[in-house]
Amino acid sequence: MSEKLQKVLANSGHGSRRELETMIQAGRISVDGKIATLGDRVTVIPGMKVRIDGHIVAIRETEETICRVLAYYKPEGELCTRKDPEGRPTVFERLPKMRGARWIAVGRLDVNTSGLLLFTTDGELANRLMHPSQEVEREYAVRVFGKVDDEKLNSLKKGVQLEDGVASFRSISYQGGEGMNQWYNVTLTEGRNREVRRLWEAVEVQVSRLIRVRYGDLGLPKGLPRGGWIELDLDKVNYLRELVGLRAETETKLAPERDRRRTKANQIRRAVKKHSQRPSSRRGSTSRR
């Protein structure tokens, strides 16, 4: 059965459908030596050669692909990009390596935002989780500086005009604080660039700290340190898939529970240690921004 090229590539872990559509439009992808165009459909057959930027990439039929998902605790100072020309740290550097697939970030967090960031090997899952039509709720803990009154809170819930359209929080709950520094938990169902910060700035309140604590019903895992990751079990993977209308998985690459308990702590320690051993010159370049 033929499927759109970007869907086949996404299911093989080579990016989200949006990213791949952009690559196709730019002439960066070919199939059996012919430059692909948007709308091309392919049937995966043995010997088929698909190239991205001239490099052959592995293609697997959808039914052979096992969907994997990571929950990552992004620290402040990391970029949501695969490589940075200035050598600054990125969210991909400490993730586990794979052969024949790659991790795709489900949305982005800006460099000064920390918290829960999901990664998956399934481009279709990533695309649907990010798409506004799915209305997947995100929750953030936010520390703000400035005067916050009922009028401003009502405006933030009803909607304020931003440069890219009207936006609002689905809910706002006060969490405490001292003086002009107050903590709130807010939820929304979109992933616009810097949306949480821009909403508060629109009512003349500054965000001094921002942490994503939940995506859908998946919270930031307890005990996970900044820079650490954990692979989600089959139940949690299928919760995400069913949330956006994808069929449930029946297989997982996770080891049995007794083995996962032995390896989890070591995985976290290795990931965090890799960040702490970053060359001082690179840390310095980050601190200056």
Side-chain angles (χ1 to χ4, degrees):
M1 182 180 68
S2 69
E3 293 183 300
K4 286 188 175 181
L5 177 58
Q6 62 265 33
K7 183 176 181 181
V8 172
L9 286 166
N11 287 335
S12 298
H14 298 297
S16 70
R17 282 199 299 172
R18 290 181 185 176
E19 293 172 330
L20 291 160
E21 286 170 359
T22 300
M23 292 181 192
I24 292 171
Q25 288 176 317
R28 296 171 55 192
I29 299 177
S30 67
V31 179
D32 291 333
K34 181 183 178 181
I35 298 296
T37 59
L38 202 58
D40 284 355
R41 302 178 70 89
V42 297
T43 300
V44 178
I45 59 175
M48 185 173 72
K49 291 182 173 59
V50 178
R51 290 178 169 86
I52 298 178
D53 295 331
H55 302 287
I56 294 177
V57 295
I59 300 296
R60 292 175 292 175
E61 294 185 42
T62 302
E63 60 269 23
E64 296 177 350
T65 304
I66 296 176
C67 176
R68 300 173 66 182
V69 180
L70 296 182
Y72 177 65
Y73 193 159
K74 177 193 176 296
E76 294 178 0
E78 287 189 352
L79 300 175
C80 288
T81 185
R82 293 191 182 275
K83 292 182 181 179
D84 178 61
E86 298 180 36
R88 291 171 294 180
T90 78
V91 295
F92 290 93
E93 293 178 4
R94 285 179 284 175
L95 304 184
K97 305 299 181 185
M98 295 183 295
R99 297 182 63 182
R102 67 175 183 168
W103 296 112
I104 302 162
V106 179
R108 294 172 178 265
L109 294 176
D110 69 50
V111 66
N112 294 318
T113 300
S114 63
L116 177 62
L117 186 59
L118 298 178
F119 293 86
T120 180
T121 56
D122 188 330
E124 180 65 16
L125 175 62
N127 183 69
R128 293 196 187 191
L129 286 171
M130 290 185 282
H131 202 281
S133 65
Q134 298 292 337
E135 296 189 338
V136 179
E137 190 171 84
R138 292 89 151 161
E139 181 176 357
Y140 296 82
V142 52
R143 185 178 68 192
V144 298
F145 178 79
K147 182 182 178 181
V148 180
D149 54 28
D150 289 341
E151 182 179 353
K152 290 182 179 180
L153 293 176
N154 287 333
S155 294
L156 290 169
K157 286 188 283 189
K158 289 181 179 178
V160 297
Q161 183 67 46
L162 303 179
E163 59 267 29
D164 53 355
V166 176
S168 63
F169 291 127
R170 174 171 283 190
S171 67
I172 308 174
S173 61
Y174 178 64
Q175 301 295 312
E178 296 181 357
M180 296 288 278
N181 287 293
Q182 305 291 324
W183 280 94
Y184 290 86
N185 273 31
V186 300
T187 63
L188 42 70
T189 57
E190 293 181 308
R192 298 192 218 174
N193 183 41
R194 301 184 68 255
E195 187 171 5
V196 175
R197 295 180 187 274
R198 291 190 292 134
L199 274 164
W200 285 102
E201 289 168 1
V203 295
E204 300 181 339
V205 177
Q206 296 298 311
V207 172
S208 57
R209 185 112 184 257
L210 184 60
I211 308 166
R212 184 193 277 165
V213 296
R214 179 170 60 84
Y215 202 104
D217 284 344
L218 296 181
L220 190 61
K222 292 182 179 180
L224 187 65
R226 288 180 179 84
W229 57 266
I230 185 171
E231 184 160 354
L232 302 187
D233 61 28
L234 189 59
D235 286 343
K236 290 186 175 67
V237 170
N238 281 336
Y239 157 73
L240 290 172
R241 294 181 65 82
E242 292 167 3
L243 182 66
V244 294
L246 292 174
R247 63 175 177 78
E249 285 280 346
T250 58
E251 297 180 68
T252 178
K253 293 226 174 188
L254 275 182
E257 176 63 28
R258 63 181 182 276
D259 296 327
R260 296 207 304 272
R261 286 196 297 266
R262 288 198 295 267
T263 60
K264 177 182 174 182
N266 288 334
Q267 289 173 337
I268 292 173
R269 277 196 294 270
R270 284 197 298 270
V272 175
K273 184 178 180 181
K274 184 174 181 180
H275 178 71
S276 64
Q277 290 180 341
R278 189 178 308 283
S280 58
S281 61
R282 181 179 288 186
R283 289 198 299 268
S285 66
T286 301
S287 65
R288 290 193 294 271
R289 290 171 171 80

